[in-house]
Amino acid sequence: MFTLSEENYLKAIYHLELDTGKGVSTNAIAKKLETKASSVSDMIKKLSEKDVVVYKKYKGVTLTGFGKKIAASIVRKHRLWEVFLVDKLNFSWDEVHDVAEQLEHIKSPKLVNQLDSFLGFPSHDPHGDPIPDKDGGLKIIEKSLLSTLEKNETGVCVGVNDSSSEFLKFLDKKEITLGKQIIVLEKEDFDDSLSIQIDGKKLSISNKIANNLYVQKS
Amino acid sequence: MFTLSEENYLKAIYHLELDTGKGVSTNAIAKKLETKASSVSDMIKKLSEKDVVVYKKYKGVTLTGFGKKIAASIVRKHRLWEVFLVDKLNFSWDEVHDVAEQLEHIKSPKLVNQLDSFLGFPSHDPHGDPIPDKDGGLKIIEKSLLSTLEKNETGVCVGVNDSSSEFLKFLDKKEITLGKQIIVLEKEDFDDSLSIQIDGKKLSISNKIANNLYVQKS
DNA sequence: AAATATTTTTAGCCTTGTCTAAAAATATAT
DNA sequence: ATATATTTTTAGACAAGGCTAAAAATATTT
Ligand SMILES: [Mn+2]
Ligand SMILES: [Mn+2]
Ligand SMILES: [Mn+2]
Ligand SMILES: [Mn+2]
């Protein structure tokens, strides 16, 4: 059994490892968890005692297979709860993260399975992130940042890179939601802004936005 | 904000105070929380610093109005989650308690309100216990132990005194569920056992059972 | 190759919540 | 009323998880 704190470390390492593809530095973990590098050093030692990470002093840390399974199960719970909050309790997608951060630590295999079934076995959370299966497997879909589309290319919104409440609310205001199709009408060389068509309407999109919205090319 | 441990102490004191009607002893709390009296002494001091309990050394402890509100909100969450687990996730009534013990500590007013609404504003949990309202108010219904009914009296099952998994499973096996009507056909002086009619069928019930099942006289 | 800068670890301290053992207060029995 | 038993509090210790400051290892410049 793992403590709340241990679970949060495992999840942080899991995400950092996925993002960068390599071993994770003490500082990177400290930054992600808003804690101090010294605290991270201490915790990593405990985690390697428990065989969930491989650790060589000064050389960073990697999850073991076992550690990866535990981390994935926490991410699975996080994302299932986010679906629950949005689909069943009428939360909007910018309100769910903090509550899911708490709910992901509830320990009950039956609860997770029943919730999964109650929600209709969703494959992705409200932000377009994939939900790991029971064994920790992730179905990665092919997605590109909107900013990488060329003029006249089209794509369907499938996810966000920045999932801050501010960005999500901005998308709400512009009525840009997952599942909608986007056509790139124009790319401005000057500021890399885009002119797109969505819902049959024309919209101007800054590069900052286009860099934080994922589409599946179509 | 209160820690997990503080919340559990508040809830324990709340229940003990309701049960006995008076101030609560250190030992009683220790027993309920399966901890040591010395730990309870320590914690009570902290809680009285935070103005949720009134404490006089050696004289036991009582919740303040503020403390009562917090405790009731935790009980409210516990019972709402139990309803959720039974009604929506197909848990049986003997499986929900331990999961609800975890879920009751999730902090999100919106979550509680939406859950309440999603469940159709239930007034009682799966064990027949009343769900405190937002202000901590409890609607107490008139209920009696089945063992107090006289021959030929009838009542509707409305709750359990013992909510152990063993007792609940036993009731399941006998198909005694909340909402069903019971008629007392016979009372045996010898062993205080009862002969009852339920679902049109005759059933023999030991005194131990009759002492742990609440009915509303009808 | 040194010198300097950055990252990581260690050492020592703090808080929370727990425990055991001993002391103090209260309750019960003679 | 005293002696005995029980309950409650205090004193001191410990583990988890965090922090700061200093030391050690690694990386980057010159
Ligand atoms: Mn999230
Ligand atoms: Mn998400
Ligand atoms: Mn319960
Ligand atoms: Mn209950």
Side-chain angles (χ1 to χ4, degrees), chain A residues 41 45 55 57:
Chain A
S41 265
K45 268 179 237 157
Y55 170 55
K57 268 191 199 175

Side-chain angles (χ1 to χ4, degrees), chain B residues 15 17 22 35 45 84 90 93 109 134 158 195 198 218:
Chain B
H15 281 133
E17 222 178 318
K22 355 172 240 198
T35 183
K45 270 180 235 156
F84 170 73
N90 292 113
W93 66 342
K134 279 179 211 183
V158 293
S195 176
I198 183 167
S218 57

Side-chain angles (χ1 to χ4, degrees), chain A residues 78 82 97 100-101 125 127:
Chain A
H78 182 103
E82 286 189 344
H97 185 73
E101 286 288 305
D125 83 0
H127 313 102

Side-chain angles (χ1 to χ4, degrees), chain B residues 78 82 97 127:
Chain B
H78 182 103
E82 286 191 342
H97 184 74
H127 313 102

